[in-house]
Amino acid sequence: MSSPHPYIPATEADRARMLERIGVDDLDALFSDLPASFRDPAIDLPPALTEPELMALLANRAGQNASPSRPNFLGAGAYRRSVPSIVPYLVSRSEFSTAYTPYQPEISQGTLQSGFEFQSVVCELTGMDVANLGLYDVASATAEACLMAARATKRQAVCLLEPIHPGTAGVVKTYARGAGLRVDTAVSADEITDEHACLVVQQPDFLGTIVDLEPLADAAHETGALLAAVADPFALGMLKAPGDAGADIVTGEGRDLAGAPAFGGPSLGLFAAGLPYLRQMPGRIVGRTRELHPPDDGEPRTGYVLTLQAREQFIRRERATSNVSTAQALIALGFTIAVQALGPRGLRESAELCYQRAHDAARRIGALPGFAVPERGPWFQEFLVRGPMSAPELSAALSERGIAAGLDVTDRPEPEARDALLFCVTEATPDAHVEALIDALAAIGDGA
Amino acid sequence: MSSPHPYIPATEADRARMLERIGVDDLDALFSDLPASFRDPAIDLPPALTEPELMALLANRAGQNASPSRPNFLGAGAYRRSVPSIVPYLVSRSEFSTAYTPYQPEISQGTLQSGFEFQSVVCELTGMDVANLGLYDVASATAEACLMAARATKRQAVCLLEPIHPGTAGVVKTYARGAGLRVDTAVSADEITDEHACLVVQQPDFLGTIVDLEPLADAAHETGALLAAVADPFALGMLKAPGDAGADIVTGEGRDLAGAPAFGGPSLGLFAAGLPYLRQMPGRIVGRTRELHPPDDGEPRTGYVLTLQAREQFIRRERATSNVSTAQALIALGFTIAVQALGPRGLRESAELCYQRAHDAARRIGALPGFAVPERGPWFQEFLVRGPMSAPELSAALSERGIAAGLDVTDRPEPEARDALLFCVTEATPDAHVEALIDALAAIGDGA
Amino acid sequence: MTAPGPGREDFGARLSVDRSVPGRRAVDVPTWRGAKTSLPDASLLRDSLALPEMSQGELVRYYTALSERNYGIDSGTYPLGSCTMKYNPKVNDLIASQPGFANAHPQAREEDAQGTLRTLLELRHGLAEVTGLAHVSLAPAAGAQGELAGVLMISSALEDRGELGQRRRILVPDSAHGTNPATAAMAGYTVTHLPTAENGSLDRATIEQELDETVAAVMVTVPNTLGLWEQGIEEVAGLIHDAGAYLYADGANLNAIMGRVRYGDLGFDVAHLNLHKSFSTPHGGGGPGAGPVCCTEELAPYLPTPVVEECDDGVVRLAAPERSIGRLQQFHGNVGVLLRAYAYLRALGLDGLCAVSGQAVLNANYLRTLLHGHYDLPYDRPVLHEVVFSGSRQRREHDVRTYDIAKRLIDHGFHPPTVYFPLIVPEALMIEPTETEPPEAIEALAQALNAIAEEAADDPDTLHGAPWSAPIGRLDETTAARRPVLRWQDVGVSEAVSRMSR
Amino acid sequence: MTAPGPGREDFGARLSVDRSVPGRRAVDVPTWRGAKTSLPDASLLRDSLALPEMSQGELVRYYTALSERNYGIDSGTYPLGSCTMKYNPKVNDLIASQPGFANAHPQAREEDAQGTLRTLLELRHGLAEVTGLAHVSLAPAAGAQGELAGVLMISSALEDRGELGQRRRILVPDSAHGTNPATAAMAGYTVTHLPTAENGSLDRATIEQELDETVAAVMVTVPNTLGLWEQGIEEVAGLIHDAGAYLYADGANLNAIMGRVRYGDLGFDVAHLNLHKSFSTPHGGGGPGAGPVCCTEELAPYLPTPVVEECDDGVVRLAAPERSIGRLQQFHGNVGVLLRAYAYLRALGLDGLCAVSGQAVLNANYLRTLLHGHYDLPYDRPVLHEVVFSGSRQRREHDVRTYDIAKRLIDHGFHPPTVYFPLIVPEALMIEPTETEPPEAIEALAQALNAIAEEAADDPDTLHGAPWSAPIGRLDETTAARRPVLRWQDVGVSEAVSRMSR
Ligand SMILES: Cc1ncc(COP(=O)(O)O)c(C=O)c1O
Ligand SMILES: Cc1ncc(COP(=O)(O)O)c(C=O)c1O
């Protein structure tokens, strides 16, 4: 390219002037340290696209996914939410989106003060004392919770209570392996022993059931283990705060309140804990402070800084509480704005609306001949559906009718999950989609 | 509603406190001047929607339009352009979008300095001395051009050269009626007389042909009339600036470079003229100036203000040069950024790409058996297509195949337009759409 | 945020062209790889184009920095009287920018644009309900164009009555917005100014005196620009009709009375609305707006083209009324703005509209009460959506003009109110808080204005030089007009811009 | 723009909860009109939720004002070394936010997500080409997670070789980023620090000495955090492999060498990239990022799940490698970031990537030249993407710390560079201009830094108190850590928030 790329300002003339000032003949001279024999390898990349070509290509690609307006009853860790309209606008302001981690607080108060709001919101939702600025996603946050529990209790095993999201369990296992922890799974709190650093419980659980955390907390605490709750922050709009039920650590997934699922990410791992664990926590934390040098005639003003950094990798290196550096700050901002836009009443009303709509759909499906909705206790937004055919067949039949069925959970050990699909209906599932589902199921039932 | 609407902060308690401070018993007391017999009429409006309901309703509505990805060959005043990606982001920054007309320059330098950039860009593209901040759309701008020409020449008629966009001609007539001007139309410059204040010429003309403006300017000037060119600013990326060809006033439509057609609006009327007409111009104008009170140790800094306001309605009232107040400032901002993003080379290259793509498509269509592309001279992006059936039939046949044909122009007086559709292909028409059109026309030709 | 450099940066002196470097570019254009058509004759082509050349990042920074030198409704209270600067819901922007709406072509077959057209139809119905005027054209691009439409419709009606030649006058109150007389003049009429009475309403006696067979129409702003109800307007309507003239409502202040009283019921024949004010669509730094015109059955045949109508086949179409005054726009109006207005109407419903007008009026009166005594109040009555104070006392006693007061308010973090309008109030300070300001913001504004009133007495020079904390100091408007510099070239920068030659 | 009030507003003291008024709300929730299901037992439900209550406009203003208290890449030069803050093309955001991409459900059948999956597949191929490491998992959410993946993959390979029990050490240069040793520790290894030699590269002798059968891997950052090439790394690779250990590349600085040399060719076994740096995706104030891990054939079976693969039927699927270390994310990684990175790759192509690395290196050397002599330069050689100066002289001679220099740079309108890293350079000033800064910006930055060097001598107190012109003055970080205030409740505001009761 003779003229520079739109992303690169310097022109040929600029470059000549700069090289002269540096005192080298050409650009190559600056790369002379690179081993000659490995220089300029053959690299096979498609040619550069101009912006209109790029947009056309990727509009086309986006169109190769199933239409976003297609009825979709998948949940199982990613939920369609009514994200307040102000969220995308505010989050996209480039002062937020194109900033780095706020190392220079004086010109990063936007990120930092929002971060303090985030921590506060997370503490309030979870009922915990302290929260960090967020981790990658719920699964890695839960893995970090296990590592923290192990550090705090000096124990070498953790116990996961089923049903728990397999993705969460999977990440816990990955991280545990490095840390040399054993990962046990249990179907009842009785199985927890004094080898376990923590009992990990998902709320609502992987099959949608609302869990009574108090007895589990008691059981964990009796053995000297911590209770780590993996809670859906949206459901916490109506469910008891895990902290109030005795949890010592709470993790959760914040992505869905902040925006679209985007095939699963960017996500947002929430991480909150009781005060005793503050200095054991992974991740960044914002603290409130004041100006050092107010003018003679003024009071010091309030500001925010990253704090308690002695836990972190860039200071503590191999003795850090975690290796995490870049996390998911922008998603945390969206989460904060969404929660604050809904406010206390809106969050409660949304959660109840979600509950009502899901139960109404489940009731109607359960009433269809040939269909059953096996219950495992009170539940929130996800329910099991067993039809007149095998789960994969039912899923395929719906897919043929342009409907994405709930997740196939037949291979789960829970008896209710046998031959079942896990459907999800939220406050944001369009009414027309529910109607289409019921019509389709009725038709499938008739045909079977 | 007991709780306030999200757009209205004051709560019931706030209201009570405010009413008490004002010293009235209730809100009604503040409306007591309104005639009682007409108070609180029955008004039939659908009930309020919450934000998720509103978004669902209007997503549904948007889906009731033809799909935006459908091949579309309509032009005739609204053209699909490759709008640079940075435009929508920058324009949507609410410091720009939610500001008022910049009455207070000290806190409106963003709008004002951008406005100065806009005027400069318009002058450069059109080859004129001065430009205003924009009018409603090309048609009303052209109408204002006629009124200005009448004021400047003290003549009572204007002459429109065909083929001109019927929408433009229509608006000229509407405005002319109020001003008591006669509107003549002509097919040749010979028809202009010394009764005419101006000759109005569209460039390229309504049927897509590139016009040689110089002889027209000469003809107009010989009778003492002005030449008003209605030019497509995008085509001016390659075409001679009308000012360089002798035009005294140039108008144009800026919408398409700034964003999507949006069913025709918001639009952006460009308006530029020679220096002699500056104080006759309609609309707002930004001027550059300096600070009045620099600090003792500083130079006065440069700033921008609305200027030459003595022309305007809010000062001059019935003697103003126009009644225009609110215009299309935000679209002008988008236009400015788009033009500056393309820059001199990008604008030229885009115009030539548009030209090449349109000509290539026309050539391929003209080569299809049964089809002809009657030419009227050099042309830019629009061409006439005559097929093996009547124009409405051809249009309907394409529509059945999911293609929006060019505009039906059979009723035009120009012989080349007889039985023809006016197709448009631009730099932004997807290749796949052109292929689909050619396939469809070939199939239609085979069937005929 | 732009961290300011040490010293005073002269940001305004560095335009795009001053930042331009030949050869840079912000976007690339695809290369045409097909068969090449030769270009038209060189005499038809341009051989130079002097535009700035910047990389993409530089251009984004420049306009980001410019945006930060602007104050929008999201920046704080923006109490411009008459302008109705209220919060602009973001959801409306999201809605209007959906590809289905945004990409609709104005020449599309109506069947291909039913989503847009049905929405416009429902907006039309909604506006008819709110104004009590059953017939509506959404075509006008702003208030002033709505006025022109209304006045031209009256011309057409008079023409059909054979009275156009004789009725050449339009009566306009002296408190009217400048667009009213300017519109009347553009439509070919002579303007007669009507004085405002002591109570802030029209002076009935003058109207009666002026009303004769030479009068085509009376244009009245309701509520008026003093923020006051036009007392007895319903009776004046009768007088006007008796005299064979039409009554025009400038509905730019509809926000004060939405849901509570209607122009049609009061006897108005035609009205325009300012959707970019009453209906909260963003003003964009000077547009786009939308100024629908609403009228009675009698005037309906004259409405501007197009009018949105549902046909018997259930398809919504664009129609040209029988004796339409014609087009006002090449296409169908500022549709993107109309979609936003529709979204606003649906978000509120009737209860919401009443809540809007109620709170707008409550807020204006609250502000009136809080400022009372600190500034002169020429019309000392409860107001509707706005209140007009006068800085006369400050002018007289401390040589502080309203201009100074406005500039000083900037230092307090507020956008100033409208000043020197309406013209009938000397040193006018026209303040409209709107319903979207919380009481705390109104209190803070009042506190700032009252503090400034004190400062006017104690330290007038601080006001004379204000603002002190804005991105730029008070500007020399006189020289700007006297020696106009209106584009890059005038600054002598054109040579700095590279010229692209063929 | 926020016009500042007179006096110093304590904006930070007014959090959402301080702005909250009981009863206000920013969005409404639809009412459920269907049959009601009774709620679960009260013991399962919460009875209070103390969150702020604000109207929509107030909330928008609050976060708009907060954004204006931030500095992003669109605000100006952001020369944080190691962080690679370059212009983030807006087109990438537009692309990733298309509904077809944004609404794809992570549990969707693969057939329903081919648009996303094919794009990820092509990104995977592109990264393999650029790194010379043919196997890639896009799962890691950021650089540090990419590191963890890489080290765990090495563990698995060692396990399969039966050597995991014996190889318990990882060697990490003392110039490494903190995530490197932290990752090694998280993966259960002991960290041995390798000293940097005089020339800024690894000290070969120490490596040879440390390399034995207890070493699992050596983690090397290439180019390193001094902005220098690791001289002889290709030979070191041989030594490491001979010792039975693996060579890990921290590829966070890939931007210096993209298109010019490849980790795989040099002998690296595994590398992670920081797409949010090298590939220009926005950093978001601390994420999201994406840290793909790339490896040789030998390590491919251990890649984290999922890996994107094209199957024989032409469908692109998510696969679990044979002996995968398992999952790192509940789903498939930060897909939205990956889409942006893909768009960037396609916008540039190979020529573009070379232009990026070339200009990045030229810019860093230009800056090095312009600052030369004003600050100490411990490793005085041509650099690659960044240059590390030292403020030691200023510290010694004028008692001015690098901290002070950084803060003072804010007053000059720039974001400060990275400071006190790498740890081996005392008073480090680590500056990375990136290729998207125009030469003029680099000159202005150099001028500011050189002016500050003079100020350090003439007027050190101005530096000690800086910044003076930022939205807030220098903050008390010590007290923040000593007496942590980490949420509203700690400020004593919880009672100001209304509690919602059932
Ligand atoms: C009372 C009044 N009438 C008419 C107008 C003109 O409206 P527009 O600016 O939309 O043309 C305005 C606003 O400018 C106004 O306040
Ligand atoms: C050299 C180097 N390695 C690793 C990392 C860690 O990357 P991340 O912040 O994405 O986890 C960084 C950046 O923080 C870095 O600069």
Side-chain angles (χ1 to χ4, degrees), chain B residues 100 325-326, chain C residues 82 142-144 147 177 179 221 250 252 274 276-277:
Chain B
Y100 201 75
S325 171
T326 296
Chain C
S82 208
E147 294 173 26
H177 193 267
T179 49
T221 306
D250 179 329
N274 271 14
H276 45 301
K277 299 179 176 179

Side-chain angles (χ1 to χ4, degrees), chain A residues 100 325-326, chain D residues 82 142-144 147 177 179 221 225 250 252 272 274 276-277:
Chain A
Y100 201 77
S325 172
T326 296
Chain D
S82 210
E147 295 173 24
H177 194 268
T179 50
T221 306
T225 62
D250 180 329
H272 86 267
N274 271 16
H276 44 300
K277 300 179 176 178

Side-chain angles (χ1 to χ4, degrees), chain B residues 100-101 103 136 284 313 323-327, chain C residues 81-83 141-147 176-180 221 223 225 250-253 272-274 276-277 283 289-291 421 430:
Chain B
Y100 201 75
T101 303
Y103 289 150
Y136 304 132
R284 308 224 128 104
Q313 43 73 25
N323 70 340
V324 71
S325 171
T326 296
Chain C
S82 208
C83 301
Q145 212 184 30
E147 294 173 26
H177 193 267
T179 49
N180 290 191
T221 306
T225 62
D250 179 329
N253 297 336
H272 86 269
L273 306 181
N274 271 14
H276 45 301
K277 299 179 176 179
H283 197 271
F421 177 71
M430 184 196 209

Side-chain angles (χ1 to χ4, degrees), chain B residues 333-356:
Chain B
L333 175 67
F335 177 86
T336 310
I337 298 172
V339 168
Q340 297 191 346
L342 284 163
R345 284 175 303 148
L347 214 57
R348 176 65 179 244
E349 290 164 10
S350 293
E352 290 196 11
L353 178 63
C354 176
Y355 178 89
Q356 294 294 347

Side-chain angles (χ1 to χ4, degrees), chain B residues 5 7 9-10 15 17-18 21-22 31 33 35 38-41 44 46 48-49 58-59 61 65-66 68 70 74-76 78 93-101 104 106-111 113 116-117 119-120 124-125 128-129 136-138 165 168 171 174-175 177-178 236 238-240 260 262-263 265-267 286-292 295 299 301-302 304 307 313 317-318 323 326-330 336 340-341 344-345 348-350 352 355-356 359 363 399, chain C residues 8-10 12 15-16 23 25-26 29 37-40 43-46 49-50 59 62-63 66-67 69-74 78 83 85 88-89 98 100 102-105 107 109 112-116 119 122 129 144-145 156 159 176 178-179 181 183 185-188 193 229 231 234 256 260 265 282-288 325 327 329-330 332 334-336 346-348 359 362-363 369 381 407 435-436 443 472-474 476 480-481 485-489 491 502:
Chain B
H5 192 278
Y7 303 162
R15 270 194 288 278
R17 178 165 65 82
M18 295 164 83
R21 182 72 174 77
I22 296 169
F31 285 100
D33 278 351
F38 295 107
R39 288 284 301 279
D40 303 325
D44 184 20
L49 298 177
L58 283 150
R61 283 282 166 76
N65 285 345
R70 183 185 194 206
L74 287 163
R93 286 181 58 86
S94 69
E95 293 91 334
F96 283 134
S97 66
T98 75
Y100 201 75
T101 303
Q104 296 289 343
E106 295 84 1
I107 49 174
S108 308
Q109 287 297 300
T111 297
Q113 189 166 334
F116 189 85
E117 297 275 2
Q119 291 171 185
S120 304
E124 182 57 30
L125 281 171
M128 303 307 296
D129 301 324
Y136 304 132
D137 77 338
V138 61
H165 194 289
T168 304
V171 179
T174 306
Y175 276 66
R177 177 151 162 267
L236 293 183
M238 70 184 255
L239 298 185
K240 173 169 279 177
F263 204 56
S267 304
V286 169
R288 175 157 157 146
T289 186
R290 287 173 162 269
E291 282 177 324
L292 272 176
E299 282 288 298
R301 291 176 299 188
T302 311
Y304 299 84
T307 192
Q313 43 73 25
R317 302 179 77 80
E318 61 270 27
N323 70 340
T326 296
Q328 311 280 132
L330 198 66
T336 310
Q340 297 191 346
R345 284 175 303 148
R348 176 65 179 244
E349 290 164 10
S350 293
E352 290 196 11
Y355 178 89
Q356 294 294 347
H359 282 78
R363 190 164 38 234
S399 181
Chain C
R8 293 157 38 90
E9 191 197 353
D10 191 1
L15 290 161
S16 61
R25 52 193 312 167
V29 174
T37 307
S38 58
L39 294 185
S43 66
L44 294 172
L45 302 181
R46 74 188 311 146
L49 188 53
L59 196 57
Y62 179 47
Y63 281 97
L66 278 174
S67 79
R69 296 166 71 76
N70 238 28
Y71 185 106
I73 192 70
D74 291 357
Y78 211 133
C83 301
M85 292 297 282
N88 305 138
Q98 292 178 100
N103 292 334
H105 195 282
Q107 305 268 24
R109 295 175 341 132
D112 289 343
Q114 286 298 296
T116 297
T119 304
E122 291 184 8
E129 283 293 329
Q145 212 184 30
S156 290
E159 191 170 26
T179 49
T183 298
M186 261 182 114
H193 292 282
W229 181 252
Q231 287 184 328
E234 64 282 16
R260 298 175 183 269
D265 300 346
H283 197 271
I325 58 162
R327 300 200 144 268
Q329 298 266 303
Q330 188 174 43
H332 323 309
N334 280 339
V335 177
R346 293 303 309 268
L348 288 164
Q359 193 64 44
L362 181 52
N363 283 359
T369 306
R381 290 167 43 189
K407 296 301 178 202
E435 73 283 359
T436 66
E443 288 151 12
I472 196 158
R474 194 179 284 204
D476 182 352
V485 175
L486 307 178
R487 55 174 192 154
W488 305 324
Q489 287 78 352
V491 204
R502 292 183 55 220

